[in-house]
Amino acid sequence: MSPQSPQASQSTSSKFRHLPLSTSGPIDCALTGTALLNTPYFNKGSAFTSEERRKFNLTGLLPQRVQTLEQQCKRAYEQYSTREGDLAKNTFLTSLKYQNEVLYFKLLQDHLEEMMSVIYTPTEGDAIQNYSRLFRRPEGCFLNIDDQDRVYHDLAQWGNAEDIDYIVVTDGEEILGIGDQGAGGILISVAKLALTTLCGGLHPNRTLPVVLDCGTDNEELLNDEIYLGLRRKRVRGEEYNQFVETFVNAARSLYPQAYIHFEDFGLNNARRILDLYRPKFACFNDDVQGTGCVTLAAIMAGLHVSKQKLRDVRMVVFGAGSAGVGIADQVRDAIATEGNISREEASGQIWLIDKPGLLTTATESSDAQKAFIKDEAEWKDRDTNLLAVIKAVRPNVLIGTSTVPGAFTEEIIKSMAEHTTRPIILPLSNPTRLHEAKPADLLKWTNGKALVATGSPFKPVTGPWGEAGSDVTIDIAECNNSVVFPGIGLGCVLARAAHLTDRMLVAAVRGVAAMSPALQDPTAPLLPDVSSVRDVSVRIARHVIQAALDEGEVMEEEVPQDDAELEDWIREQMWNPEYRPLNFVEMDKATRAARGELKRAGTVNRTGHL
């Protein structure tokens, strides 16, 4: 992949260089010598200029030759390529991040399509499972349920009120399809924040990863003497609720401008916690909302290709966990909005299937699922398995979030295709081995008619589906949340949004769907891929901010109204992996940022309690 264009990575206008988050021009730095080399945010390694080496007392600490960032990237990629196995590559990249953040993110940016699966799913899942064995140094804030009286104190160490823009927090119960990973869940918070910087330009020194260690029900971890988290059964009920509330109250008190992103909470908690706090401040759950948003964007693109509207949707969701219900919620809300109908009426176009079969009034359902359950009387004495439901309701959209590999069989897909010309089929379970079907099979069984997007990357599929049986190559879209959640977060952070509303989420979806390559070429993927993700994030952020302005949710002053000017304003504040000139300032006159103290615990003394 080629590097991002200058337009995509940096504003060409100086109009907004006065903004506190501006990324143009030199940056102040009060560090010198080894202290500077040991600060990843400022460190340039062999790329410090001759002038900077003299000014910052680096002569004698570096080899003589001055290199460019591009030369450093070439060397780093060669080192990366010598590592055997993706987990070793993941470990190498983590080590690089601890040394030089610009080089780390630049290397990822230049090789994003290749490295995305190494820094995120599926390899990050392996790193999380092996967290205690691979542990070298801590990163982020570890809060444990046995020390709730320390939560405020421990969070307070990370900065002043204006220092943190974005917090990702997990309790580690439902990680990347691999389940309860306890304290190792900190790495999902770290990985998500890396993606917000890489894909959305969030400043890496203004983010905070957090894990809420509530114990674990993972017997392998409980029996492992090397495990670093609390070796006790996972705490639930009132004590758990109090722990989450203590964290949220402390985070809101200490960092009132921070956007809080809940990640990989268990099925029984994810939706409940989101619903509890959404009315109070700007927060987001990627498993519930992010998956729903990116999937809805793929569906909207597929509807465009098949010349249908949202009102035409008849959708079956196989796997009614937090992701499946989150998708159902987003699609329902979009149908209701476009058709000017109630949510209840829109829910009638969606069927949820889980382990018991179709969810009806006779099956046990969670609060989140109840909006979609069907009347038992309508299904009395009828099968409610996936095939039977497909035959009965004749859907044009089929979603897989079940983690049941091969669940979308040839019989099921052919039955669906009998009643819809261009079936939209999205097997989204991760990792790849848990996919409900392979794209090649879906296209084969539908004679190339299926519109497919998956939860993990797949290679293009070629088959005899062109004119007179000629070969056609179809690119497979990946429903990657990384295309959506960084832009949503960027918009909320820059706008200082009071809340993240449904209207703002729908605006984000429309921003993504409008950039679908399939709008110009039916054989192209339904969604933009990660190579253009920063441009997509700018578009999403603009749509989110404009919706927030319409709803009175913007707390930031003087936000531009014009589309082009607003995008310029957004780009100017997106952090880029580029070496900026360093401007030396005396320590006693330096800001915390210039002293390299942002995202370093223990550099402030904030006393007091809630």
Side-chain angles (χ1 to χ4, degrees), residues 78-189:
E78 290 175 354
Q79 294 169 345
Y80 168 90
S81 299
T82 64
R83 280 14 184 218
E84 295 186 4
D86 287 346
L87 188 56
K89 288 178 166 64
N90 176 283
T91 302
F92 168 81
L93 291 170
T94 298
S95 178
L96 180 61
K97 181 174 65 171
Y98 292 155
Q99 299 168 51
N100 183 329
E101 285 189 333
V102 169
L103 178 56
Y104 166 76
F105 283 109
K106 180 62 174 174
L107 181 65
L108 292 177
Q109 188 181 81
D110 286 354
H111 302 278
L112 186 52
E113 292 183 4
E114 174 185 351
M115 295 183 178
M116 177 65 86
S117 63
V118 173
I119 63 167
Y120 192 46
T121 180
T123 310
E124 188 66 12
D126 294 335
I128 292 169
Q129 286 182 301
N130 289 280
Y131 176 71
S132 296
R133 298 185 179 279
L134 297 175
F135 180 82
R136 293 183 180 179
R137 58 180 291 180
E139 182 175 2
C141 183
F142 297 79
L143 304 174
N144 83 76
I145 200 164
D146 291 341
D147 286 325
Q148 292 197 42
D149 59 340
R150 299 282 298 180
V151 168
Y152 185 93
H153 170 274
D154 293 349
L155 278 173
Q157 295 188 77
W158 291 90
N160 291 321
E162 69 280 3
D163 290 344
I164 303 294
D165 291 329
Y166 199 124
I167 297 171
V168 175
V169 58
T170 184
D171 71 354
E173 186 175 5
E174 199 63 47
I175 301 289
L176 291 175
I178 57 176
D180 191 339
Q181 299 299 317
I186 188 65
L187 291 187
I188 195 61
S189 296

